[in-house]
Amino acid sequence: MTRICLLILVLPILSFAQTNFSFSNSAFEKLLKGDYEVSSLEKRRVIPDASLPTWLQSQLSPDSLSVYLQKIIAYNNRNTINDTITEPDKGIRGARKMISQYLSFWNSRSNSVIEQTEFSFDYPMCNKTRHTEIMGFVPGIGPNKNEIVILEAHLDSRCEDRCDILCMAEGAEDNGSGSAMMMELSRLLSLIELNRSLLIIWTTGEEQGLGGSRSFAVYCKNNGIKIKAVFNNDIVGGIECGKTSSPPSCPGPFQFDSTHLRIFSSGTTNSMHKNLARLSKVLFENNKNINSSVKLDVMINEDRTGRGSDHIPFRENGYTALRYTSSYEHGDGNPAQAGYEDRQHSTRDVLGKDLDGDGVLDSLYVNFNYLANNTFVNAVTACNAATNVNAIPQIVASSAGGKIIIDVQNPDNIAKTYLYCIRKITSVYYDTIIKSTDTHLEVTGFSTFQYYVSVLAEGEYGWMSMISNDVLVRVTNKTTNPIKNLDVVELIQNRPNPFDDFTMIPILVNDISKINTAYLNILDDNGKIVERIQLKLIEGMNEYILELPYKAFSEQYYYSLVINGKVMKTLKMQILNY
Ligand SMILES: [Zn+2]
């Protein structure tokens, strides 16, 4: 019997409070609140005008990334608890010290500012409660300097046993790659005069339940720290697919992809996290100053099945956050399963192999050009978040005579262009983007369906505002009155379809007062119900993420919407790689 079920992803809510926060740099708490004089800061030479993306690209160096990563993995085991005062040059403590020395060096250059601190907190992980992570702060100089854009990557590594401090845990890809990226970003971004402030964090305790990021997110919430956006980077340098990889998986062994970067974020419609993810892709594909071969994939879910990372605690504490991750992964990170041969969470997560025994690595598992491209994505999306001052557009949208009509209600004099973004309600990303200097747009050519419309504003240098809310628009043909004759509820085709892991099933409720009970039945090829899911519907659009955690045994399934005991509609869905 095939098992197919809807999993409600519930993250563990920890019963203890994160406490006893402290900073080694006593000025840091004021910095985080923007409580400093801009005149006391060194003037930086790089300004975020239209040439910034080209400057960033010219300065970004795969060779620097390679040097940093080799230094990071030389600590052999960066387990969260491999951190003792008596051995300051070893383990994760040694890696932190190395990063600290680099930050000091970069801060000492003329036309560069990066302050640093160690942040310590109590959070039980393995057999230790007190932990420390390092962060660098690039102070903003504009009117929004009290708002922070966070770039983060976990510095800690692990092998098969998550508390083992003696094994070889180089963690080259997971997450030496992200940690090296943070070093390169520190080097470059500390030279730029930005409106908002940047905070670059090398977190600890990611592998033991996200303890480091959770503690800092709680600190920020407790202290009213304003965070504009969080960009988490975890596993961002590998291009090879392993035998196992957490769904949504890659195609299998000996397959490579160095062109795509995935963006995971929480929510679907009107989710600020998903809007940040979409904004990253819009910016990359529509800012004429950005010339990059990287393709960004906006993923449906907050993370891969059964996995998590340091963006999640920030989302849990009310901040807008996303995760960047390689397109292909070498392993699902579960070394306990029989026959696990992949590299993630094992002693095999090393930089590469010396095939001919000459002491030089011939085959690298981290691709530095790919890592440099992904660093560029972070640099421009973080600079955009730290720069843009456009108001988020407030819009109204409607449909008449087959047209979609959109109006921006709060035009400002900073916006030079508006990007009108339209997607079918079953699409995670926009199907149509139209640029216009007008605050009013009428477009035709859409088929009869429901669409989400949203708008963002672009300033003179190509920096873009956050995306407006999604407004639901129903396109009908000319003869139908869109209000009359509506069904109480409409079941809409899932997307993606076919799918191999997650799919989203939209259900549009037009009159909630007529609904007493609602179920979604999942049926196999023979029409037998394999899962019955009780739905809590609201009026308007409902989106159910259906998860297929086990390999299905059939190519197709059906789903039925049952309202007040009556089957309203049944649709077919296709499974990939069953
Ligand atoms: Zn990781």
Side-chain angles (χ1 to χ4, degrees):
M1 171 61 61
T2 300
R3 285 199 59 194
I4 183 167
C5 64
L6 180 83
L7 292 186
I8 296 166
L9 298 172
V10 180
L11 291 151
I13 293 167
L14 298 163
S15 54
F16 54 86
Q18 298 80 32
T19 52
N20 206 6
F21 303 126
S22 69
F23 292 87
S24 61
N25 176 349
S26 58
F28 220 79
E29 292 193 78
K30 284 193 163 184
L31 289 175
L32 291 174
K33 292 192 167 169
D35 189 3
Y36 55 85
E37 291 297 327
V38 169
S39 59
S40 69
L41 301 171
E42 173 111 18
K43 196 109 181 88
R44 281 153 274 175
R45 285 219 185 102
V46 182
I47 53 165
D49 61 13
S51 67
L52 183 65
T54 309
W55 180 82
L56 284 167
Q57 226 162 0
S58 69
Q59 298 294 310
L60 260 167
S61 161
D63 293 340
S64 298
L65 288 160
S66 168
V67 168
Y68 305 147
L69 185 53
Q70 288 181 57
K71 284 182 183 287
I72 290 165
I73 62 171
Y75 292 91
N76 295 340
N77 180 308
R78 303 187 309 281
N79 192 290
T80 300
I81 57 166
N82 191 14
D83 189 352
T84 57
I85 275 174
T86 51
E87 295 189 291
D89 297 319
K90 289 212 165 125
I92 194 168
R93 180 176 288 253
R96 259 198 333 267
K97 187 173 158 189
M98 180 270 293
I99 290 168
S100 169
Q101 285 165 350
Y102 268 97
L103 293 177
S104 297
F105 174 71
W106 291 323
N107 188 50
S108 70
R109 293 173 299 183
S110 61
N111 309 113
S112 172
V113 187
I114 184 161
E115 296 282 336
Q116 61 171 289
T117 191
E118 286 197 332
F119 172 73
S120 298
F121 54 91
D122 287 352
Y123 190 107
M125 291 188 270
C126 297
N127 60 354
K128 224 165 161 270
T129 300
R130 190 98 184 128
H131 303 276
T132 299
E133 58 201 9
I134 186 167
M135 46 187 81
F137 183 85
V138 181
I141 55 140
N144 303 99
K145 66 183 165 72
N146 63 330
E147 296 175 357
I148 294 170
V149 174
I150 291 181
L151 288 154
E152 61 168 354
H154 72 86
L155 180 61
D156 62 303
S157 65
R158 61 167 284 185
C159 30
E160 287 76 358
D161 176 345
R162 68 169 64 192
C163 297
D164 186 349
I165 62 165
L166 299 174
C167 63
M168 185 61 85
E170 289 190 3
E173 191 182 352
D174 184 11
N175 184 31
S177 59
S179 297
M181 175 194 281
M182 292 304 120
M183 293 180 72
E184 183 66 343
L185 289 169
S186 301
R187 181 176 78 84
L188 292 179
L189 302 183
S190 56
L191 295 164
I192 307 173
E193 296 259 9
L194 293 169
N195 171 19
R196 297 186 179 86
S197 299
L198 293 172
L199 185 66
I200 299 164
I201 315 176
W202 290 262
T203 65
T204 193
E206 194 277 342
E207 302 290 10
Q208 288 82 17
L210 319 178
S213 64
R214 180 164 285 126
S215 297
F216 188 66
V218 167
Y219 167 83
C220 289
K221 189 182 178 190
N222 290 352
N223 290 277
I225 305 297
K226 295 196 168 108
I227 300 175
K228 182 82 176 163
V230 177
F231 300 94
N232 175 35
N233 283 271
D234 193 353
I235 309 176
V236 282
I239 61 171
E240 184 181 358
C241 183
K243 276 190 178 171
T244 66
S245 65
S246 304
S249 312
C250 45
F254 312 113
Q255 304 291 317
F256 297 84
D257 179 10
S258 61
T259 56
H260 289 72
L261 180 66
R262 294 183 295 175
I263 316 174
F264 287 94
S265 58
S266 174
T268 49
T269 302
N270 286 329
S271 150
M272 57 190 183
H273 319 286
K274 198 66 89 213
N275 274 351
L276 181 65
R278 291 182 187 120
L279 173 59
S280 294
K281 187 171 167 68
V282 173
L283 184 69
F284 249 72
E285 295 178 357
N286 294 277
N287 178 327
K288 61 181 184 303
N289 306 315
I290 294 172
N291 179 16
S292 170
S293 57
V294 182
K295 297 275 173 286
L296 298 174
D297 295 328
V298 177
M299 310 303 290
I300 289 182
N301 267 34
E302 183 166 31
D303 216 312
R304 298 96 79 232
T305 307
R307 311 288 295 273
S309 188
D310 284 338
H311 56 309
I312 294 173
F314 285 96
R315 188 266 301 154
E316 289 173 329
N317 284 285
Y319 297 116
T320 305
L322 61 73
R323 171 187 187 160
Y324 291 122
T325 296
S326 298
S327 183
Y328 285 8
E329 288 186 78
H330 208 268
D332 63 3
N334 177 15
Q337 66 192 296
Y340 185 67
E341 293 172 23
D342 287 336
R343 293 192 288 268
Q344 280 189 15
H345 296 178
S346 84
T347 54
R348 297 178 293 279
D349 185 4
V350 295
L351 184 52
K353 253 190 193 155
D354 176 9
L355 296 171
D356 53 9
D358 65 354
V360 178
L361 297 178
D362 308 294
S363 170
L364 292 184
Y365 300 140
V366 171
N367 180 311
F368 290 103
N369 287 321
Y370 181 59
L371 182 55
N373 286 341
N374 297 341
T375 307
F376 180 56
V377 172
N378 276 270
V380 295
T381 51
C383 285
N384 185 67
T387 301
N388 81 75
V389 286
N390 297 95
I392 299 171
Q394 287 164 19
I395 61 167
V396 289
S398 58
S399 177
K403 273 191 289 194
I404 292 180
I405 304 153
I406 311 163
D407 282 283
V408 176
Q409 298 196 299
N410 59 335
D412 63 31
N413 51 17
I414 301 164
K416 299 293 173 210
T417 313
Y418 291 98
L419 278 76
Y420 293 84
C421 307
I422 301 168
R423 64 189 171 96
K424 284 189 168 177
I425 56 167
T426 45
S427 299
V428 178
Y429 186 67
Y430 307 113
D431 305 304
T432 306
I433 296 177
I434 297 165
K435 265 196 185 196
S436 168
T437 52
D438 229 326
T439 56
H440 173 85
L441 186 80
E442 296 189 15
V443 255
T444 52
F446 294 94
S447 55
T448 304
F449 202 70
Q450 294 91 336
Y451 297 84
Y452 283 124
V453 171
S454 36
V455 177
L456 58 84
E458 187 183 44
E460 96 182 278
Y461 298 133
W463 302 117
M464 295 177 183
S465 74
M466 190 47 135
I467 299 169
S468 72
N469 276 8
D470 297 308
V471 177
L472 183 67
V473 172
R474 178 191 299 270
V475 174
T476 56
N477 60 43
K478 287 172 191 164
T479 53
T480 312
N481 181 331
I483 304 302
K484 258 188 205 167
N485 307 323
L486 281 184
D487 292 331
V488 167
V489 62
E490 298 169 54
L491 180 66
I492 295 158
Q493 187 68 49
N494 62 302
R495 180 82 175 261
N497 189 44
F499 69 102
D500 65 356
D501 179 51
F502 309 105
T503 193
M504 193 255 285
I505 300 175
I507 301 162
L508 183 58
V509 175
N510 297 311
D511 187 353
I512 194 72
S513 71
K514 297 212 167 75
I515 297 177
N516 298 318
T517 61
Y519 286 89
L520 195 63
N521 288 344
I522 309 298
L523 302 91
D524 68 13
D525 221 358
N526 301 317
K528 187 173 185 303
I529 296 174
V530 293
E531 189 82 25
R532 189 163 179 260
I533 303 153
Q534 184 160 17
L535 302 173
K536 282 189 182 145
L537 297 175
I538 55 165
E539 190 148 310
M541 184 53 65
N542 298 262
E543 295 172 335
Y544 275 85
I545 305 290
L546 187 75
E547 191 168 332
L548 189 61
Y550 306 100
K551 286 284 176 216
F553 293 104
S554 175
E555 192 178 357
Q556 64 190 33
Y557 286 82
Y558 296 86
Y559 57 99
S560 292
L561 181 64
V562 185
I563 299 292
N564 304 339
K566 185 181 160 210
V567 175
M568 307 297 285
K569 192 173 186 180
T570 300
L571 291 169
K572 187 161 70 175
M573 57 185 168
Q574 304 278 136
I575 313 293
L576 276 175
N577 307 318
Y578 64 94

